[in-house]
Structures are given as C-alpha cells and as structure tokens.
Amino acid sequence: MDLTGFLPARRQHGLLTSRQALAAGLDVPAVARLVRTGAWVRLRRGVYVDGDQWREAGEFDEKPLLRVRAAALVLEVEHVFSHDSASLVHGLGLPDARASLVHITREGVHGTRLIAGTKHHGAPFHPDQVRHVDGLEVLDPARTCLDLVREHGLRGGLPACDRALSLGVTRSQLRQAASGMKCWPGRRSVDRAILLADPGAESWQESLGRLLVTELGIGRPETQFGLRDARRTVWCDLRVGRHVIEIDGRIKYDGTFAGQEPADVLWAEKLRQDFITGFHLGMSRLTHRDLTSGWDHAKRRVLREFEATVARYGTDVADLAPYLVRRDRARHG
C-alpha cells in the first residue's frame, strides 16, 4: 500500500502518523504488516514513511531531514529545532548526518537530556533567532553554527560557520549570537570559530583542511588562491607562504563530476599540479582519512612539506603579483 496515497502524507513530505493511519481506516495489525513487509518504514514511534521513498532518499540529507520531520509530527513540548537538525534545514552541513540525533532547544528547562532519540537542550534564545522554514521552526544560521561548535567542537562546527558566512551571514551576526552565550559550555571554541571562519571554503573538507593547517602555527591560510598565465587559470584550496594545500576526494578522480575516464582525470590533475609548482610553489595534498583518523599524522607530514618549501623557495610571493587572480570570480581550473 503506497503511503503517499493518504492525504495527510502528501502534506507532510510523505510521512504519516499512526493516528492518521487509524483515522483513515487501517487497524494496528494492518500497519504492523505493512512495516514487516517493508512497504512502510517506521521512523520513530508513531510515524511512518513509504518504503520506496525511504530507500531512494539520500543518506546524508534527505533521510536525516525526514527524521527531523517525523519528530515534529509527534513532539508535544514547546520547542524549536536546533544544532544538527537546524543545520540540516539550513544546509550548513554536519560531521556525519547519518548518525545525527534530532536536536531541539527549549526555554524554561535546565540542562540537556536525551529522550526517545531526541536531544533536548535547555537554553534561552531570542524570538528574532527563530526562522520558519518549510513548516519547521528552527534557530537561525548564526545561532545554529555556533551551537554546532559547542556541541561538536571546532572540527564539527567551524565548517558550518564557513558555510553560514558564504550564505550571507556576517561576522557581526555571529558575534551577536555569541553575546548571549556568556559562561556557556564551549564558549572559548565559539570565539575561536568566529575568528577563524572564512567564506572562501567551498566544502566541509576544505574547512577541515584549513583548520589542520592553522593548528600548525605557520600562518593563516589563504583560501581559493588563484594563479593565471596566458595559457590557463587555476584555483588552489589553501596557501601559506609559497606552499599550497589541496583537498582531494576520491570522487574527484573517478570521473563522476567531469564525465571523463579516471585516467584522463588523473592526467589532467597531474598537468594542473605541474602548472602550479612551476611557479616555485610547494604542495601538500590531504584526503578524507587525513582529515579524520589520520589528523595528527597529516599535521606532521604537512609541516615537513611546508618546511621543505620554505628551505627551497622562502615565503615571499611578491614575484607572483603579475599572475594572481582576485576572488571576485567563478572558480574553475
């Protein structure tokens, strides 16, 4: 039985509560049978989604957001969605959305508690911080990305701050949101995130790469460093002195985005690296593993590579002035 045939489900992004199912004429054994056969999927107690819809949904965005919407249908306490859940709604990103809990913030309660897969945060917020997005009440992007820093630390929150700035949130708005967090847990990390946030990061991994390089203490990395000659233009993810750092994902080389054979993609990247290093620049490359379980090892390696670049070329880039490209551009290369 196609769940989307029920009128309430069509209004609720394909979700149906058990009460609505019973009101439509199904009984409890019938609902249990639909779940058992996989026709329906139980998202949480009393909320179901069509099995085909669930199986086709994206692991990192659609499924986590459906879990948030399922909670919205049955939560009986006054709340706004916050932290990971608000980040999903705003598209700010998460360390791993597949494992995220549903998060709500409530006024008038103390502390934090986990109830039926939903994390309840007792924290004040201003009515002006509440946004209504596609049927959900959520805290705004400025408050949300700072809450992520407090919840997950710099590695789990700084990329969301970067994303918020790229979407139009100002650093002043971040500071305003932080002003209401005096003596809150994680406040020192919040202040550091506001200082380090950079709208130039184009992905979660680029943000993590910038944080890793920042922790080396060799200078603040420049994001999206552009070089051009009469032949081509390229953009490097990060630069410190005469050393550039590129963030590599496996999908970058399998031809998915470029519509090319992997060997052709790899050859093109080889030529691109030759072009960059031809300006007497050193290079480091970081992968997902480097930015997760291999963090400390990657820091030691990048520092060695940076020091080798300094020994060979120094740090001054004044000679590159004729070849630099400003940031008011569409990225390519």
Side-chain angles (χ1 to χ4, degrees), residues 134-179:
D134 200 11
L136 298 174
E137 286 196 345
V138 299
L139 291 180
D140 66 16
R143 168 64 182 266
T144 294
C145 64
L146 299 186
D147 278 341
L148 286 180
V149 173
R150 296 193 307 110
E151 183 74 9
H152 300 292
L154 274 177
R155 293 191 207 177
L158 179 60
C161 295
D162 291 350
R163 178 62 175 162
L165 291 184
S166 74
L167 292 175
V169 174
T170 66
R171 208 174 302 272
S172 176
Q173 289 172 322
L174 293 182
R175 295 192 186 99
Q176 179 62 33
S179 67

Side-chain angles (χ1 to χ4, degrees), residues 101-332:
L101 298 169
V102 173
H103 290 254
I104 63 173
T105 291
R106 301 168 57 192
E107 290 191 291
V109 299
H110 298 285
T112 299
R113 64 200 71 177
L114 182 61
I115 304 173
T118 297
K119 196 165 186 178
H120 297 237
H121 301 267
F125 56 87
H126 194 277
D128 288 346
Q129 291 180 305
V130 179
R131 299 287 182 270
H132 299 267
V133 183
D134 200 11
L136 298 174
E137 286 196 345
V138 299
L139 291 180
D140 66 16
R143 168 64 182 266
T144 294
C145 64
L146 299 186
D147 278 341
L148 286 180
V149 173
R150 296 193 307 110
E151 183 74 9
H152 300 292
L154 274 177
R155 293 191 207 177
L158 179 60
C161 295
D162 291 350
R163 178 62 175 162
L165 291 184
S166 74
L167 292 175
V169 174
T170 66
R171 208 174 302 272
S172 176
Q173 289 172 322
L174 293 182
R175 295 192 186 99
Q176 179 62 33
S179 67
M181 298 179 175
K182 293 179 180 178
C183 301
W184 288 17
R187 175 57 196 262
R188 292 182 63 182
S189 293
V190 163
D191 290 340
R192 185 154 174 76
I194 294 173
L195 177 67
L196 294 178
D198 189 321
E202 295 187 341
S203 71
W204 189 274
Q205 301 288 3
E206 286 185 20
S207 295
L208 288 178
R210 191 178 81 257
L211 179 59
L212 184 148
V213 175
T214 300
E215 288 185 359
L216 297 177
I218 58 177
R220 181 160 183 159
E222 176 184 350
T223 57
Q224 309 311 325
F225 174 66
L227 288 168
R228 173 188 295 152
D229 70 0
R231 188 165 56 93
R232 69 180 301 177
T233 301
V234 302
W235 299 95
C236 304
D237 295 329
L238 301 167
R239 177 195 66 85
V240 180
R242 297 193 74 96
H243 196 74
V244 299
I245 301 94
E246 290 287 283
I247 315 301
D248 289 329
R250 187 180 181 89
I251 196 172
K252 175 179 179 179
Y253 294 100
D254 68 8
T256 299
F257 291 143
Q260 298 175 310
E261 291 297 318
D264 294 332
V265 176
L266 185 61
W267 179 250
E269 185 60 27
K270 186 267 183 193
L271 295 179
R272 178 178 177 277
Q273 179 164 332
D274 288 347
F275 177 79
I276 295 168
T277 56
F279 286 95
H280 290 179
L281 296 170
M283 179 180 289
S284 294
R285 309 195 80 107
L286 293 170
T287 66
H288 174 75
R289 182 177 180 180
D290 293 325
L291 299 174
T292 50
S293 61
W295 187 272
D296 291 336
H297 176 79
K299 284 176 63 175
R300 291 191 292 269
R301 173 174 61 81
V302 172
L303 183 58
R304 288 197 308 270
E305 293 166 348
F306 172 79
E307 290 174 343
T309 295
V310 173
R312 187 174 185 182
Y313 302 126
T315 59
D316 184 53
V317 293
D319 61 302
L320 299 180
Y323 308 101
L324 299 182
V325 187
R326 299 304 160 195
R327 291 178 58 175
D328 54 341
R329 77 293 177 271
R331 186 182 178 185
H332 56 88

Side-chain angles (χ1 to χ4, degrees), residues 55-75:
R55 286 182 284 273
E56 294 171 4
E59 294 286 338
F60 293 92
D61 45 15
E62 295 171 315
K63 284 184 176 179
L65 189 52
L66 281 171
R67 288 193 289 266
V68 173
R69 294 192 180 282
L73 291 176
V74 294
L75 284 171

